[in-house]
Amino acid sequence: VLSDNNARLAAARGLTNPRARRETGRFLVEGAPAVAQALRQPGVVQQVFATAGARYRHADLLAGAPEVAEISDRAAAGLSETVHPQGLVAVCRAVDVPLEPVLERRPRLLAVLVGANDPGNAGTILRTADAAGADAVLFAGDSVDVYNGKLVRASAGSLFHLDLVTGLDPAAAIQACRAAGLRTLATTGAGARQLDELIDAGELAVPTAWIFGNEARGLPADLLAAADQTVRVPIYGKAESLNLAAAAAVCLYGSARAQRVGQ
Ligand SMILES: C[S@@+](CC[C@H](N)C(=O)[O-])C[C@H]1O[C@@H](n2cnc3c(N)ncnc32)[C@H](O)[C@@H]1O
């Protein structure tokens, strides 16, 4: 059992801090389901820390892990960002990739998040984009750190399933998507086109990059103007707007369905 003062453990504990994540290019993944997803990606997991109980419960899973160190329950609590630590934490290398190779692969469905700052929303969008068969999620502007513990948990392993691009300039990202043949659709409650109208006209069948804005401010006017279309999800009741992740789910699934009709 590693001492609670062990240097590797201390370095891993430091990864609960965004600056240490940025400087080392590493992040933490907690809990058996997410660790299992990480282990399926070759070369991503660098080290696993497990309590005696977790080692026993997840013996099969850990048989495929590169390096497993046993830690105390107290040390596990120090590595955890949850109220109920699960006793199983993997140190992973950052998985984000540059934009160019993603666009060279001719993606058909992308989500671009501009200034999304709620990690729960961003993680939920990653999970939803993965479920809808999107190729990549792009983080642009002043968006949340994609390796934030809450975001990683909310993504439920999906951050390992699709291409993740971070640190983009929003206007340049929209321009690059268009140059790669994607139709760029910026979402806002005041959109010029209504989502159902686009679906009915068969306009969502083409390769599409959906652009979503900040939870409070939405998308700035220059980015709304830069996109090929502005799109609104209809509000039939009295809600002022949709939650960002809910809006993303409706739009991404609209494209997912349209792109599969007749296949
Ligand atoms: C809570 S909204 C920001 C509010 C802002 N007034 C607006 O409508 O854009 C955050 C993000 O969710 C998406 N969103 C929310 N409601 C929407 C709607 N009715 N139609 C399209 N997108 C919506 C957009 O991406 C928006 O930038």
Side-chain angles (χ1 to χ4, degrees):
V1 182
L2 287 188
S3 144
D4 288 2
N5 301 323
N6 174 277
R8 269 185 300 156
L9 190 53
R13 221 168 11 240
L15 296 175
T16 54
N17 180 311
R19 185 161 163 210
R21 291 196 290 268
R22 258 195 318 278
E23 285 173 2
T24 61
R26 294 177 178 180
F27 69 107
L28 299 176
V29 170
E30 186 181 359
V35 171
Q37 300 289 332
L39 284 169
R40 287 204 189 106
Q41 317 303 313
V44 165
V45 176
Q46 300 183 325
Q47 161 92 68
V48 178
F49 295 104
T51 59
R55 265 192 120 154
Y56 177 74
R57 283 193 304 278
H58 305 296
D60 288 354
L61 173 70
L62 294 176
E67 210 189 317
V68 183
E70 193 170 310
I71 55 172
S72 68
D73 289 342
R74 189 156 167 254
L79 283 178
S80 174
E81 295 176 82
T82 59
V83 182
H84 301 291
Q86 309 196 19
L88 184 66
V89 175
V91 175
C92 298
R93 70 159 174 77
V95 290
D96 54 287
V97 293
L99 183 58
E100 293 73 23
V102 172
L103 295 179
E104 276 164 16
R105 284 194 284 276
R106 302 307 243 178
R108 291 188 53 77
L109 184 57
L110 298 187
V112 185
L113 306 191
V114 179
N117 62 17
D118 179 296
N121 269 342
T124 302
I125 293 174
L126 269 175
R127 183 177 183 176
T128 307
D130 176 18
D135 301 281
V137 177
L138 279 44
F139 286 78
D142 194 14
S143 288
V144 60
D145 169 23
V146 293
Y147 301 114
N148 170 291
K150 192 170 175 201
L151 190 157
V152 172
R153 274 197 306 288
S155 87
S158 286
L159 87 165
F160 298 115
H161 298 164
L162 35 66
D163 286 328
L164 195 60
V165 186
T166 64
L168 297 169
D169 171 74
I174 293 174
Q175 181 47 36
C177 287
R178 184 180 297 112
L182 291 142
R183 187 163 188 231
T184 55
L185 300 179
T187 56
T188 162
R193 303 285 305 277
Q194 209 237 70
L195 179 70
D196 296 334
E197 194 185 307
L198 293 181
I199 293 174
D200 294 345
E203 292 185 42
L204 291 189
V206 299
T208 300
W210 282 101
I211 305 152
F212 304 102
N214 169 271
E215 285 83 354
R217 298 185 300 277
L219 285 166
D222 61 325
L223 297 183
L224 291 172
D228 295 324
Q229 282 289 341
T230 57
V231 181
R232 68 183 189 278
V233 178
I235 304 270
Y236 299 115
K238 294 187 180 122
E240 198 203 309
S241 65
L242 286 159
N243 157 278
L244 167 60
V250 176
C251 296
L252 290 168
Y253 266 93
S255 288
R257 181 163 190 277
Q259 293 182 352
R260 282 164 182 75
V261 169
Q263 276 187 3

mmCIF file with all atom_site columns, all heavy atoms in Angstrom, residues 216-239:
data_model
loop_
_atom_site.group_PDB
_atom_site.id
_atom_site.type_symbol
_atom_site.label_atom_id
_atom_site.label_alt_id
_atom_site.label_comp_id
_atom_site.label_asym_id
_atom_site.label_entity_id
_atom_site.label_seq_id
_atom_site.pdbx_PDB_ins_code
_atom_site.Cartn_x
_atom_site.Cartn_y
_atom_site.Cartn_z
_atom_site.occupancy
_atom_site.B_iso_or_equiv
_atom_site.pdbx_formal_charge
_atom_site.auth_seq_id
_atom_site.auth_comp_id
_atom_site.auth_asym_id
_atom_site.auth_atom_id
_atom_site.pdbx_PDB_model_num
ATOM 1   N N   . ALA A 1 216 ? -25.307 31.719 -20.197 1.00 0.00 ? 216 ALA A N   1
ATOM 2   C CA  . ALA A 1 216 ? -26.007 32.964 -19.842 1.00 0.00 ? 216 ALA A CA  1
ATOM 3   C C   . ALA A 1 216 ? -26.097 33.929 -21.019 1.00 0.00 ? 216 ALA A C   1
ATOM 4   O O   . ALA A 1 216 ? -27.134 34.548 -21.260 1.00 0.00 ? 216 ALA A O   1
ATOM 5   C CB  . ALA A 1 216 ? -25.282 33.640 -18.682 1.00 0.00 ? 216 ALA A CB  1
ATOM 6   N N   . ARG A 1 217 ? -25.020 34.038 -21.775 1.00 0.00 ? 217 ARG A N   1
ATOM 7   C CA  . ARG A 1 217 ? -24.946 35.090 -22.811 1.00 0.00 ? 217 ARG A CA  1
ATOM 8   C C   . ARG A 1 217 ? -25.341 34.610 -24.200 1.00 0.00 ? 217 ARG A C   1
ATOM 9   O O   . ARG A 1 217 ? -25.558 35.410 -25.097 1.00 0.00 ? 217 ARG A O   1
ATOM 10  C CB  . ARG A 1 217 ? -23.520 35.651 -22.878 1.00 0.00 ? 217 ARG A CB  1
ATOM 11  C CG  . ARG A 1 217 ? -23.036 36.317 -21.600 1.00 0.00 ? 217 ARG A CG  1
ATOM 12  C CD  . ARG A 1 217 ? -21.672 36.944 -21.801 1.00 0.00 ? 217 ARG A CD  1
ATOM 13  N NE  . ARG A 1 217 ? -20.665 35.962 -22.190 1.00 0.00 ? 217 ARG A NE  1
ATOM 14  C CZ  . ARG A 1 217 ? -20.000 35.188 -21.343 1.00 0.00 ? 217 ARG A CZ  1
ATOM 15  N NH1 . ARG A 1 217 ? -20.224 35.302 -20.052 1.00 0.00 ? 217 ARG A NH1 1
ATOM 16  N NH2 . ARG A 1 217 ? -19.112 34.316 -21.757 1.00 0.00 ? 217 ARG A NH2 1
ATOM 17  N N   . GLY A 1 218 ? -25.382 33.317 -24.412 1.00 0.00 ? 218 GLY A N   1
ATOM 18  C CA  . GLY A 1 218 ? -25.638 32.814 -25.763 1.00 0.00 ? 218 GLY A CA  1
ATOM 19  C C   . GLY A 1 218 ? -24.439 33.080 -26.672 1.00 0.00 ? 218 GLY A C   1
ATOM 20  O O   . GLY A 1 218 ? -23.303 33.226 -26.200 1.00 0.00 ? 218 GLY A O   1
ATOM 21  N N   . LEU A 1 219 ? -24.686 33.169 -27.980 1.00 0.00 ? 219 LEU A N   1
ATOM 22  C CA  . LEU A 1 219 ? -23.603 33.427 -28.950 1.00 0.00 ? 219 LEU A CA  1
ATOM 23  C C   . LEU A 1 219 ? -23.525 34.921 -29.256 1.00 0.00 ? 219 LEU A C   1
ATOM 24  O O   . LEU A 1 219 ? -24.562 35.574 -29.416 1.00 0.00 ? 219 LEU A O   1
ATOM 25  C CB  . LEU A 1 219 ? -23.877 32.668 -30.254 1.00 0.00 ? 219 LEU A CB  1
ATOM 26  C CG  . LEU A 1 219 ? -23.640 31.155 -30.221 1.00 0.00 ? 219 LEU A CG  1
ATOM 27  C CD1 . LEU A 1 219 ? -24.260 30.492 -31.451 1.00 0.00 ? 219 LEU A CD1 1
ATOM 28  C CD2 . LEU A 1 219 ? -22.146 30.836 -30.149 1.00 0.00 ? 219 LEU A CD2 1
ATOM 29  N N   . PRO A 1 220 ? -22.312 35.485 -29.394 1.00 0.00 ? 220 PRO A N   1
ATOM 30  C CA  . PRO A 1 220 ? -22.204 36.897 -29.746 1.00 0.00 ? 220 PRO A CA  1
ATOM 31  C C   . PRO A 1 220 ? -22.663 37.150 -31.186 1.00 0.00 ? 220 PRO A C   1
ATOM 32  O O   . PRO A 1 220 ? -22.626 36.242 -32.027 1.00 0.00 ? 220 PRO A O   1
ATOM 33  C CB  . PRO A 1 220 ? -20.719 37.205 -29.574 1.00 0.00 ? 220 PRO A CB  1
ATOM 34  C CG  . PRO A 1 220 ? -20.015 35.895 -29.635 1.00 0.00 ? 220 PRO A CG  1
ATOM 35  C CD  . PRO A 1 220 ? -20.997 34.847 -29.195 1.00 0.00 ? 220 PRO A CD  1
ATOM 36  N N   . ALA A 1 221 ? -23.060 38.399 -31.448 1.00 0.00 ? 221 ALA A N   1
ATOM 37  C CA  . ALA A 1 221 ? -23.630 38.764 -32.747 1.00 0.00 ? 221 ALA A CA  1
ATOM 38  C C   . ALA A 1 221 ? -22.685 38.431 -33.911 1.00 0.00 ? 221 ALA A C   1
ATOM 39  O O   . ALA A 1 221 ? -23.132 37.974 -34.971 1.00 0.00 ? 221 ALA A O   1
ATOM 40  C CB  . ALA A 1 221 ? -23.969 40.253 -32.746 1.00 0.00 ? 221 ALA A CB  1
ATOM 41  N N   . ASP A 1 222 ? -21.364 38.646 -33.723 1.00 0.00 ? 222 ASP A N   1
ATOM 42  C CA  . ASP A 1 222 ? -20.455 38.413 -34.858 1.00 0.00 ? 222 ASP A CA  1
ATOM 43  C C   . ASP A 1 222 ? -20.415 36.936 -35.240 1.00 0.00 ? 222 ASP A C   1
ATOM 44  O O   . ASP A 1 222 ? -20.301 36.598 -36.423 1.00 0.00 ? 222 ASP A O   1
ATOM 45  C CB  . ASP A 1 222 ? -19.041 38.953 -34.552 1.00 0.00 ? 222 ASP A CB  1
ATOM 46  C CG  . ASP A 1 222 ? -18.414 38.281 -33.352 1.00 0.00 ? 222 ASP A CG  1
ATOM 47  O OD1 . ASP A 1 222 ? -19.157 37.944 -32.397 1.00 0.00 ? 222 ASP A OD1 1
ATOM 48  O OD2 . ASP A 1 222 ? -17.195 38.065 -33.345 1.00 0.00 ? 222 ASP A OD2 1
ATOM 49  N N   . LEU A 1 223 ? -20.558 36.043 -34.270 1.00 0.00 ? 223 LEU A N   1
ATOM 50  C CA  . LEU A 1 223 ? -20.546 34.614 -34.605 1.00 0.00 ? 223 LEU A CA  1
ATOM 51  C C   . LEU A 1 223 ? -21.878 34.181 -35.210 1.00 0.00 ? 223 LEU A C   1
ATOM 52  O O   . LEU A 1 223 ? -21.918 33.330 -36.110 1.00 0.00 ? 223 LEU A O   1
ATOM 53  C CB  . LEU A 1 223 ? -20.221 33.764 -33.368 1.00 0.00 ? 223 LEU A CB  1
ATOM 54  C CG  . LEU A 1 223 ? -18.834 33.995 -32.765 1.00 0.00 ? 223 LEU A CG  1
ATOM 55  C CD1 . LEU A 1 223 ? -18.591 33.047 -31.606 1.00 0.00 ? 223 LEU A CD1 1
ATOM 56  C CD2 . LEU A 1 223 ? -17.733 33.823 -33.815 1.00 0.00 ? 223 LEU A CD2 1
ATOM 57  N N   . LEU A 1 224 ? -22.967 34.792 -34.744 1.00 0.00 ? 224 LEU A N   1
ATOM 58  C CA  . LEU A 1 224 ? -24.272 34.491 -35.354 1.00 0.00 ? 224 LEU A CA  1
ATOM 59  C C   . LEU A 1 224 ? -24.229 34.903 -36.828 1.00 0.00 ? 224 LEU A C   1
ATOM 60  O O   . LEU A 1 224 ? -24.716 34.187 -37.703 1.00 0.00 ? 224 LEU A O   1
ATOM 61  C CB  . LEU A 1 224 ? -25.393 35.242 -34.626 1.00 0.00 ? 224 LEU A CB  1
ATOM 62  C CG  . LEU A 1 224 ? -25.692 34.757 -33.186 1.00 0.00 ? 224 LEU A CG  1
ATOM 63  C CD1 . LEU A 1 224 ? -26.675 35.702 -32.497 1.00 0.00 ? 224 LEU A CD1 1
ATOM 64  C CD2 . LEU A 1 224 ? -26.243 33.340 -33.191 1.00 0.00 ? 224 LEU A CD2 1
ATOM 65  N N   . ALA A 1 225 ? -23.587 36.039 -37.080 1.00 0.00 ? 225 ALA A N   1
ATOM 66  C CA  . ALA A 1 225 ? -23.493 36.535 -38.459 1.00 0.00 ? 225 ALA A CA  1
ATOM 67  C C   . ALA A 1 225 ? -22.530 35.687 -39.293 1.00 0.00 ? 225 ALA A C   1
ATOM 68  O O   . ALA A 1 225 ? -22.699 35.553 -40.511 1.00 0.00 ? 225 ALA A O   1
ATOM 69  C CB  . ALA A 1 225 ? -23.036 37.991 -38.447 1.00 0.00 ? 225 ALA A CB  1
ATOM 70  N N   . ALA A 1 226 ? -21.526 35.103 -38.636 1.00 0.00 ? 226 ALA A N   1
ATOM 71  C CA  . ALA A 1 226 ? -20.511 34.340 -39.371 1.00 0.00 ? 226 ALA A CA  1
ATOM 72  C C   . ALA A 1 226 ? -21.029 32.974 -39.829 1.00 0.00 ? 226 ALA A C   1
ATOM 73  O O   . ALA A 1 226 ? -20.503 32.386 -40.779 1.00 0.00 ? 226 ALA A O   1
ATOM 74  C CB  . ALA A 1 226 ? -19.272 34.146 -38.497 1.00 0.00 ? 226 ALA A CB  1
ATOM 75  N N   . ALA A 1 227 ? -22.066 32.458 -39.159 1.00 0.00 ? 227 ALA A N   1
ATOM 76  C CA  . ALA A 1 227 ? -22.572 31.123 -39.508 1.00 0.00 ? 227 ALA A CA  1
ATOM 77  C C   . ALA A 1 227 ? -23.441 31.184 -40.766 1.00 0.00 ? 227 ALA A C   1
ATOM 78  O O   . ALA A 1 227 ? -23.945 32.244 -41.141 1.00 0.00 ? 227 ALA A O   1
ATOM 79  C CB  . ALA A 1 227 ? -23.383 30.566 -38.344 1.00 0.00 ? 227 ALA A CB  1
ATOM 80  N N   . ASP A 1 228 ? -23.623 30.024 -41.405 1.00 0.00 ? 228 ASP A N   1
ATOM 81  C CA  . ASP A 1 228 ? -24.447 29.985 -42.620 1.00 0.00 ? 228 ASP A CA  1
ATOM 82  C C   . ASP A 1 228 ? -25.911 30.295 -42.317 1.00 0.00 ? 228 ASP A C   1
ATOM 83  O O   . ASP A 1 228 ? -26.608 30.874 -43.137 1.00 0.00 ? 228 ASP A O   1
ATOM 84  C CB  . ASP A 1 228 ? -24.350 28.593 -43.267 1.00 0.00 ? 228 ASP A CB  1
ATOM 85  C CG  . ASP A 1 228 ? -22.941 28.311 -43.767 1.00 0.00 ? 228 ASP A CG  1
ATOM 86  O OD1 . ASP A 1 228 ? -22.292 29.259 -44.249 1.00 0.00 ? 228 ASP A OD1 1
ATOM 87  O OD2 . ASP A 1 228 ? -22.479 27.155 -43.659 1.00 0.00 ? 228 ASP A OD2 1
ATOM 88  N N   . GLN A 1 229 ? -26.369 29.839 -41.143 1.00 0.00 ? 229 GLN A N   1
ATOM 89  C CA  . GLN A 1 229 ? -27.759 30.068 -40.742 1.00 0.00 ? 229 GLN A CA  1
ATOM 90  C C   . GLN A 1 229 ? -27.814 30.244 -39.227 1.00 0.00 ? 229 GLN A C   1
ATOM 91  O O   . GLN A 1 229 ? -26.980 29.677 -38.516 1.00 0.00 ? 229 GLN A O   1
ATOM 92  C CB  . GLN A 1 229 ? -28.622 28.829 -41.044 1.00 0.00 ? 229 GLN A CB  1
ATOM 93  C CG  . GLN A 1 229 ? -29.031 28.651 -42.468 1.00 0.00 ? 229 GLN A CG  1
ATOM 94  C CD  . GLN A 1 229 ? -30.075 29.678 -42.905 1.00 0.00 ? 229 GLN A CD  1
ATOM 95  O OE1 . GLN A 1 229 ? -30.739 30.293 -42.075 1.00 0.00 ? 229 GLN A OE1 1
ATOM 96  N NE2 . GLN A 1 229 ? -30.188 29.884 -44.201 1.00 0.00 ? 229 GLN A NE2 1
ATOM 97  N N   . THR A 1 230 ? -28.818 30.988 -38.750 1.00 0.00 ? 230 THR A N   1
ATOM 98  C CA  . THR A 1 230 ? -29.115 30.952 -37.312 1.00 0.00 ? 230 THR A CA  1
ATOM 99  C C   . THR A 1 230 ? -30.396 30.135 -37.161 1.00 0.00 ? 230 THR A C   1
ATOM 100 O O   . THR A 1 230 ? -31.338 30.265 -37.951 1.00 0.00 ? 230 THR A O   1
ATOM 101 C CB  . THR A 1 230 ? -29.309 32.367 -36.737 1.00 0.00 ? 230 THR A CB  1
ATOM 102 O OG1 . THR A 1 230 ? -30.347 33.034 -37.436 1.00 0.00 ? 230 THR A OG1 1
ATOM 103 C CG2 . THR A 1 230 ? -28.014 33.171 -36.814 1.00 0.00 ? 230 THR A CG2 1
ATOM 104 N N   . VAL A 1 231 ? -30.393 29.269 -36.153 1.00 0.00 ? 231 VAL A N   1
ATOM 105 C CA  . VAL A 1 231 ? -31.502 28.315 -35.998 1.00 0.00 ? 231 VAL A CA  1
ATOM 106 C C   . VAL A 1 231 ? -32.074 28.410 -34.589 1.00 0.00 ? 231 VAL A C   1
ATOM 107 O O   . VAL A 1 231 ? -31.321 28.471 -33.609 1.00 0.00 ? 231 VAL A O   1
ATOM 108 C CB  . VAL A 1 231 ? -31.004 26.866 -36.259 1.00 0.00 ? 231 VAL A CB  1
ATOM 109 C CG1 . VAL A 1 231 ? -32.156 25.877 -36.133 1.00 0.00 ? 231 VAL A CG1 1
ATOM 110 C CG2 . VAL A 1 231 ? -30.348 26.762 -37.623 1.00 0.00 ? 231 VAL A CG2 1
ATOM 111 N N   . ARG A 1 232 ? -33.396 28.404 -34.488 1.00 0.00 ? 232 ARG A N   1
ATOM 112 C CA  . ARG A 1 232 ? -34.027 28.387 -33.168 1.00 0.00 ? 232 ARG A CA  1
ATOM 113 C C   . ARG A 1 232 ? -34.781 27.079 -32.970 1.00 0.00 ? 232 ARG A C   1
ATOM 114 O O   . ARG A 1 232 ? -35.395 26.552 -33.923 1.00 0.00 ? 232 ARG A O   1
ATOM 115 C CB  . ARG A 1 232 ? -34.965 29.584 -32.995 1.00 0.00 ? 232 ARG A CB  1
ATOM 116 C CG  . ARG A 1 232 ? -36.197 29.554 -33.862 1.00 0.00 ? 232 ARG A CG  1
ATOM 117 C CD  . ARG A 1 232 ? -37.050 30.804 -33.688 1.00 0.00 ? 232 ARG A CD  1
ATOM 118 N NE  . ARG A 1 232 ? -38.325 30.659 -34.373 1.00 0.00 ? 232 ARG A NE  1
ATOM 119 C CZ  . ARG A 1 232 ? -38.537 30.854 -35.666 1.00 0.00 ? 232 ARG A CZ  1
ATOM 120 N NH1 . ARG A 1 232 ? -37.530 31.225 -36.454 1.00 0.00 ? 232 ARG A NH1 1
ATOM 121 N NH2 . ARG A 1 232 ? -39.730 30.678 -36.184 1.00 0.00 ? 232 ARG A NH2 1
ATOM 122 N N   . VAL A 1 233 ? -34.715 26.575 -31.766 1.00 0.00 ? 233 VAL A N   1
ATOM 123 C CA  . VAL A 1 233 ? -35.562 25.441 -31.390 1.00 0.00 ? 233 VAL A CA  1
ATOM 124 C C   . VAL A 1 233 ? -36.853 26.074 -30.888 1.00 0.00 ? 233 VAL A C   1
ATOM 125 O O   . VAL A 1 233 ? -36.810 26.968 -30.030 1.00 0.00 ? 233 VAL A O   1
ATOM 126 C CB  . VAL A 1 233 ? -34.899 24.605 -30.260 1.00 0.00 ? 233 VAL A CB  1
ATOM 127 C CG1 . VAL A 1 233 ? -35.814 23.468 -29.848 1.00 0.00 ? 233 VAL A CG1 1
ATOM 128 C CG2 . VAL A 1 233 ? -33.539 24.084 -30.702 1.00 0.00 ? 233 VAL A CG2 1
ATOM 129 N N   . PRO A 1 234 ? -38.004 25.669 -31.432 1.00 0.00 ? 234 PRO A N   1
ATOM 130 C CA  . PRO A 1 234 ? -39.241 26.347 -31.042 1.00 0.00 ? 234 PRO A CA  1
ATOM 131 C C   . PRO A 1 234 ? -39.560 26.170 -29.566 1.00 0.00 ? 234 PRO A C   1
ATOM 132 O O   . PRO A 1 234 ? -39.324 25.105 -28.996 1.00 0.00 ? 234 PRO A O   1
ATOM 133 C CB  . PRO A 1 234 ? -40.306 25.661 -31.916 1.00 0.00 ? 234 PRO A CB  1
ATOM 134 C CG  . PRO A 1 234 ? -39.712 24.359 -32.318 1.00 0.00 ? 234 PRO A CG  1
ATOM 135 C CD  . PRO A 1 234 ? -38.238 24.567 -32.389 1.00 0.00 ? 234 PRO A CD  1
ATOM 136 N N   . ILE A 1 235 ? -40.040 27.222 -28.963 1.00 0.00 ? 235 ILE A N   1
ATOM 137 C CA  . ILE A 1 235 ? -40.478 27.168 -27.567 1.00 0.00 ? 235 ILE A CA  1
ATOM 138 C C   . ILE A 1 235 ? -42.003 27.281 -27.600 1.00 0.00 ? 235 ILE A C   1
ATOM 139 O O   . ILE A 1 235 ? -42.535 28.326 -27.987 1.00 0.00 ? 235 ILE A O   1
ATOM 140 C CB  . ILE A 1 235 ? -39.887 28.353 -26.754 1.00 0.00 ? 235 ILE A CB  1
ATOM 141 C CG1 . ILE A 1 235 ? -38.357 28.360 -26.856 1.00 0.00 ? 235 ILE A CG1 1
ATOM 142 C CG2 . ILE A 1 235 ? -40.387 28.350 -25.320 1.00 0.00 ? 235 ILE A CG2 1
ATOM 143 C CD1 . ILE A 1 235 ? -37.603 27.598 -25.836 1.00 0.00 ? 235 ILE A CD1 1
ATOM 144 N N   . TYR A 1 236 ? -42.678 26.212 -27.254 1.00 0.00 ? 236 TYR A N   1
ATOM 145 C CA  . TYR A 1 236 ? -44.143 26.215 -27.326 1.00 0.00 ? 236 TYR A CA  1
ATOM 146 C C   . TYR A 1 236 ? -44.787 26.683 -26.018 1.00 0.00 ? 236 TYR A C   1
ATOM 147 O O   . TYR A 1 236 ? -45.923 27.137 -26.017 1.00 0.00 ? 236 TYR A O   1
ATOM 148 C CB  . TYR A 1 236 ? -44.647 24.815 -27.674 1.00 0.00 ? 236 TYR A CB  1
ATOM 149 C CG  . TYR A 1 236 ? -44.136 24.345 -29.024 1.00 0.00 ? 236 TYR A CG  1
ATOM 150 C CD1 . TYR A 1 236 ? -43.272 23.262 -29.132 1.00 0.00 ? 236 TYR A CD1 1
ATOM 151 C CD2 . TYR A 1 236 ? -44.509 25.013 -30.188 1.00 0.00 ? 236 TYR A CD2 1
ATOM 152 C CE1 . TYR A 1 236 ? -42.807 22.842 -30.364 1.00 0.00 ? 236 TYR A CE1 1
ATOM 153 C CE2 . TYR A 1 236 ? -44.037 24.607 -31.425 1.00 0.00 ? 236 TYR A CE2 1
ATOM 154 C CZ  . TYR A 1 236 ? -43.189 23.517 -31.505 1.00 0.00 ? 236 TYR A CZ  1
ATOM 155 O OH  . TYR A 1 236 ? -42.719 23.120 -32.727 1.00 0.00 ? 236 TYR A OH  1
ATOM 156 N N   . GLY A 1 237 ? -44.043 26.520 -24.920 1.00 0.00 ? 237 GLY A N   1
ATOM 157 C CA  . GLY A 1 237 ? -44.596 26.922 -23.617 1.00 0.00 ? 237 GLY A CA  1
ATOM 158 C C   . GLY A 1 237 ? -44.069 28.280 -23.206 1.00 0.00 ? 237 GLY A C   1
ATOM 159 O O   . GLY A 1 237 ? -43.796 29.134 -24.064 1.00 0.00 ? 237 GLY A O   1
ATOM 160 N N   . LYS A 1 238 ? -43.916 28.459 -21.893 1.00 0.00 ? 238 LYS A N   1
ATOM 161 C CA  . LYS A 1 238 ? -43.539 29.789 -21.404 1.00 0.00 ? 238 LYS A CA  1
ATOM 162 C C   . LYS A 1 238 ? -42.058 29.891 -21.050 1.00 0.00 ? 238 LYS A C   1
ATOM 163 O O   . LYS A 1 238 ? -41.607 30.949 -20.604 1.00 0.00 ? 238 LYS A O   1
ATOM 164 C CB  . LYS A 1 238 ? -44.368 30.131 -20.172 1.00 0.00 ? 238 LYS A CB  1
ATOM 165 C CG  . LYS A 1 238 ? -45.852 30.291 -20.508 1.00 0.00 ? 238 LYS A CG  1
ATOM 166 C CD  . LYS A 1 238 ? -46.624 30.801 -19.301 1.00 0.00 ? 238 LYS A CD  1
ATOM 167 C CE  . LYS A 1 238 ? -48.095 30.944 -19.661 1.00 0.00 ? 238 LYS A CE  1
ATOM 168 N NZ  . LYS A 1 238 ? -48.968 30.176 -18.814 1.00 0.00 ? 238 LYS A NZ  1
ATOM 169 N N   . ALA A 1 239 ? -41.289 28.801 -21.227 1.00 0.00 ? 239 ALA A N   1
ATOM 170 C CA  . ALA A 1 239 ? -39.851 28.851 -20.922 1.00 0.00 ? 239 ALA A CA  1
ATOM 171 C C   . ALA A 1 239 ? -39.195 29.908 -21.802 1.00 0.00 ? 239 ALA A C   1
ATOM 172 O O   . ALA A 1 239 ? -39.540 30.048 -22.976 1.00 0.00 ? 239 ALA A O   1
ATOM 173 C CB  . ALA A 1 239 ? -39.213 27.492 -21.186 1.00 0.00 ? 239 ALA A CB  1
#
